[in-house]
């Protein structure tokens, strides 16, 4: 019902949503028949929704490697997140996870819902992993080893400083960027990207998730760990959970804006990383989550709703991004437009207003300097405006027809 109301409010979402639904059905039909690969691809669809579709558009060998990499990371994450596992059991599992992927007999039951199924039937993932090329296996093993060790380090450590925040995000997301760059290189289609740019790709996504998920994380029972760094939130409140109380709304929004400004620092690196990609499917795979992230930050900035409920890009806009992201022009246009949505929300009384504005202007300059902005109008937001003005005209025409009908019936009486 909610989605029907959303489509009625945004009728132009209908076509991209329909296309996405059909592509998703098609992708599910293409799930391989061998039981271990069938398990891995259907699990991928369950845990990552629309993102699975973009993975399935990669060339066969790379697609299999990315699918397994994604599931191994989700499994590692499930162990890290399960607060019912005692630390002395959890830490050795995280540290040895890179060896478990070679062992068809290994499994460890934890997590809930689809993650429990993933953990219980992990032998399907190891079986598929053992069929990957050596270059892919080495890259996945190396990243899993470094990430497991990093997660273990942070099990007993709070995120205090901004350096801790960057270090934690490096372990759980920056390393994913390094690993993916290695997989792309191993596929023979891309050059090896510099580590610092690969890291920024992960940090930008992970910081956006941490900002967006504040309320979900703080309300989790049993209490989960929080990743907003004390160095930032302690400027505004005494305890991180105080941000969700109504009496602290002004401080909460200022703190949120500080966090968004910190995340925006990575955008120029991300644009550089994406502009060096050559393969169309790899490009889409990387660019779609990045556009979703800048869209989410534009939505979250200065928005008290982050502390009250879920702030997410609507499904129709996600479908549009998936449908229409094909080259760097699309990326520059999307980043330019979403930062243009954020810019007028900067309040000059915000303690970080100058810093945020200079970040936004630097992003817009990077997009402008690409020289493609004046060639074409935005593929997402302009069409929204065009459609909404069309809808307003249609609304007034209908109103005029009703009015003239009512006046003519009244005159005939
Ligand atoms: C990802 C990343 C991802 C994709 C492409 C390039 C990347 C480069 C560096 C680092 C990460 C990169 O993308 C996914 C996107 C995703 O899963 N989206 C979810 C939406 C959601 O709300 O969860 C979906 O269901 O569609 C991502 O978020 N992460 C991820 C994990 C593994 C891999 Cl192989 C790629 C997670 C994270 C923590 C940000 C790295």
């Amino acid at each position: 019902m909610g989605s029907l109301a959303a489509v009625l409010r945004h009728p132009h979402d209908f076509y991209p949503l329909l296309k996405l639904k059909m592509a998703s059905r098609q992708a599910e039909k293409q799930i391989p028949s061998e039981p271990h690969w069938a398990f891995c691809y259907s699990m991928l669809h369950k845990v990552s929704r629309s993102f699975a579709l973009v993975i399935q558009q990669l060339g066969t060998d790379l697609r299999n490697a990315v699918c397994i990499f994604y599931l191994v990371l989700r499994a590692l994450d499930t162990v890290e997140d399960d607060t019912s596992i005692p630390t002395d059991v959890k830490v050795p599992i995280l540290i040895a996870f890179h060896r478990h992927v070679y062992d068809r007999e290994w499994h460890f039951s934890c997590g809930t819902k689809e993650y429990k199924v993933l953990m219980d039937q992990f032998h399907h993932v190891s079986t598929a992993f053992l069929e990957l090329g050596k270059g892919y296996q080495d890259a996945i093993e190396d990243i899993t080893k470094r990430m497991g060790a990093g997660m273990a380090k942070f099990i007993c450590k709070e995120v205090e400083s901004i350096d801790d925040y960057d270090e934690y995000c490096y372990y759980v997301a920056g390393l994913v960027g390094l690993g993916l760059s290695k997989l792309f290189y191993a596929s023979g289609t891309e050059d090896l990207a510099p580590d610092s740019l690969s890291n920024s790709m992960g940090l930008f996504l992970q910081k956006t998730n941490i900002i967006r998920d504040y309320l979900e994380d703080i309300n989790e029972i049993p209490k989960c760990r929080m990743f907003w760094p004390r160095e930032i939130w302690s400027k505004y409140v005494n305890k991180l959970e105080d941000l969700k109380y109504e009496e602290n709304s002004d401080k909460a929004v200022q703190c949120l804006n500080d966090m968004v400004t910190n995340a925006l620092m990575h955008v120029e690196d991300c644009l550089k990383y994406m502009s060096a990609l050559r393969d169309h499917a790899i490009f889409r795979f990387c660019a779609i989550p990045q556009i979703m992230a800048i869209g989410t930050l534009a939505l979250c900035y200065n928005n008290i709703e982050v502390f009250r409920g879920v702030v997410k890009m609507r499904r129709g806009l996600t479908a549009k991004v998936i449908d229409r992201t094909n080259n760097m022009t699309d990326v520059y246009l999307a980043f330019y437009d979403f930062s243009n949505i954020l810019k007028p929300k900067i309040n000059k009384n915000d303690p970080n207003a100058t810093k945020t504005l200079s970040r936004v202007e630097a992003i817009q300059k990077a997009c402008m300097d690409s020289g493609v902005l004046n060639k074409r109008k935005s593929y997402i937001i302009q069409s929204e405006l065009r459609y909404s003005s069309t809808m307003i005209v249609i609304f007034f025409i209908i109103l005029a027809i009703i009015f003239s009908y009512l006046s003519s019936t009244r005159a005939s009486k």
Side-chain angles (χ1 to χ4, degrees):
M1 216 40 206
S3 24
L4 179 66
V7 173
L8 286 176
R9 231 176 298 129
H10 304 276
H12 45 282
D13 283 358
F14 181 73
Y15 180 62
L17 275 169
L18 186 71
K19 245 177 120 173
L20 184 66
K21 184 98 203 142
M22 286 184 349
S24 204
R25 286 240 174 102
Q26 191 60 29
E28 275 170 44
K29 272 192 217 147
Q30 283 168 359
I31 286 180
S33 55
E34 300 106 299
H36 51 294
W37 285 109
F39 174 85
C40 291
Y41 278 99
S42 55
M43 191 44 72
L44 183 70
H45 277 274
K46 284 193 189 112
V47 297
S48 83
R49 298 180 303 275
S50 43
F51 188 58
L53 201 76
V54 189
I55 295 182
Q56 273 195 277
Q57 289 169 358
L58 296 167
T60 316
D61 287 351
L62 180 61
R63 174 180 74 205
N64 287 342
V66 170
C67 171
I68 299 308
F69 189 37
Y70 196 89
L71 294 179
V72 168
L73 299 177
R74 284 283 176 156
L76 198 59
D77 224 36
T78 307
V79 176
E80 188 207 18
D81 281 354
D82 191 329
T83 40
S84 70
I85 311 171
T87 306
D88 59 329
V89 176
K90 190 184 279 192
V91 168
I93 296 176
L94 292 175
I95 291 176
F97 212 89
H98 64 286
R99 288 201 301 270
H100 299 324
V101 291
Y102 286 94
D103 179 1
R104 279 199 192 104
E105 306 296 310
W106 184 87
H107 74 97
F108 178 77
S109 191
C110 64
T112 55
K113 296 181 229 163
E114 60 272 26
Y115 298 101
K116 184 170 171 9
V117 181
L118 171 67
M119 296 311 293
D120 284 343
Q121 311 224 28
F122 195 75
H123 63 281
H124 286 309
V125 181
S126 354
T127 306
F129 171 80
L130 290 166
E131 286 179 13
L132 298 176
K134 172 99 170 72
Y136 294 131
Q137 285 180 349
D138 288 350
I140 296 173
E141 181 191 352
D142 172 50
I143 298 302
T144 309
K145 184 177 178 181
R146 290 153 73 182
M147 190 183 292
M151 283 173 166
K153 177 175 172 184
F154 270 87
I155 291 289
C156 308
K157 187 172 147 65
E158 290 276 312
V159 179
E160 298 279 346
S161 63
I162 295 173
D163 282 347
D164 291 343
Y165 181 46
D166 283 353
E167 188 186 352
Y168 176 75
C169 290
Y170 161 75
Y171 289 133
V172 299
L175 281 173
V176 179
L178 267 63
L180 285 170
S181 297
K182 283 188 187 201
L183 297 182
F184 301 158
Y185 180 66
S187 76
T189 32
E190 299 290 349
D191 294 334
L192 187 60
D195 284 357
S196 64
L197 299 189
S198 307
N199 181 41
S200 295
M201 289 285 285
L203 260 60
F204 186 57
L205 298 183
Q206 180 63 359
K207 287 184 175 182
T208 303
N209 292 344
I210 289 176
I211 294 169
R212 182 200 62 193
D213 295 340
Y214 167 86
L215 193 67
E216 195 183 313
D217 291 344
I218 205 107
N219 286 341
E220 201 171 288
I221 298 168
K223 272 247 151 310
C224 99
R225 283 168 319 128
M226 291 299 291
F227 304 106
W228 288 42
R230 181 187 294 270
E231 188 177 338
I232 293 186
W233 61 257
S234 61
K235 288 189 264 174
Y236 306 96
V237 277
N238 293 325
K239 286 197 289 336
L240 181 55
E241 66 180 64
D242 290 348
L243 293 175
K244 70 175 178 178
Y245 303 120
E246 218 164 309
E247 63 268 29
N248 298 324
S249 293
D250 290 348
K251 290 287 172 198
V253 165
Q254 289 174 2
C255 181
L256 168 66
N257 295 347
D258 205 336
M259 291 286 288
V260 172
T261 308
N262 171 284
L264 290 175
M265 216 164 64
H266 304 291
V267 169
E268 284 123 298
D269 273 0
C270 296
L271 293 173
K272 244 185 246 161
Y273 180 99
M274 288 183 278
S275 66
L277 296 171
R278 286 195 286 248
D279 179 86
H280 181 246
I282 293 180
F283 176 81
R284 274 174 48 78
F285 168 78
C286 292
I288 291 167
Q290 294 288 324
I291 297 181
M292 298 296 297
I294 187 76
T296 304
L297 290 181
L299 212 59
C300 288
Y301 184 82
N302 216 35
N303 186 351
I304 189 66
E305 284 308 309
V306 171
F307 304 96
R308 306 279 177 266
V310 184
V311 176
K312 264 193 184 160
M313 268 168 66
R314 59 169 208 279
R315 187 111 183 99
L317 197 49
T318 304
K320 259 188 203 176
V321 173
I322 294 174
D323 186 37
R324 300 175 194 178
T325 302
N326 285 303
N327 51 45
M328 258 333 263
T329 302
D330 299 330
V331 169
Y332 288 127
L333 285 166
F335 271 77
Y336 190 87
D337 281 348
F338 280 121
S339 33
N340 240 355
I341 289 181
L342 194 156
K343 205 172 174 180
K345 296 209 267 171
I346 304 173
N347 176 340
K348 65 176 189 323
N349 298 321
D350 185 281
N352 292 291
T354 317
K355 209 165 149 192
T356 314
L357 191 63
S358 82
R359 280 283 74 245
V360 169
E361 282 173 349
I363 294 167
Q364 295 198 317
K365 183 177 180 315
C367 296
M368 285 288 228
D369 289 349
S370 70
V372 299
L373 285 197
N374 38 11
K375 289 203 188 117
R376 188 150 58 76
K377 293 245 184 296
S378 165
Y379 68 102
I380 302 173
I381 299 159
Q382 288 295 331
S383 69
E384 304 254 299
L385 296 178
R386 202 171 53 237
Y387 273 107
S388 20
S389 42
T390 314
M391 291 311 285
I392 292 169
V393 172
I394 292 173
F395 174 75
F396 277 109
I397 293 174
I398 293 172
L399 210 66
I401 293 171
I402 294 173
F403 184 72
S404 58
Y405 171 77
L406 288 178
S407 350
S408 66
T409 48
R410 198 173 288 168
S412 65
K413 273 182 195 163

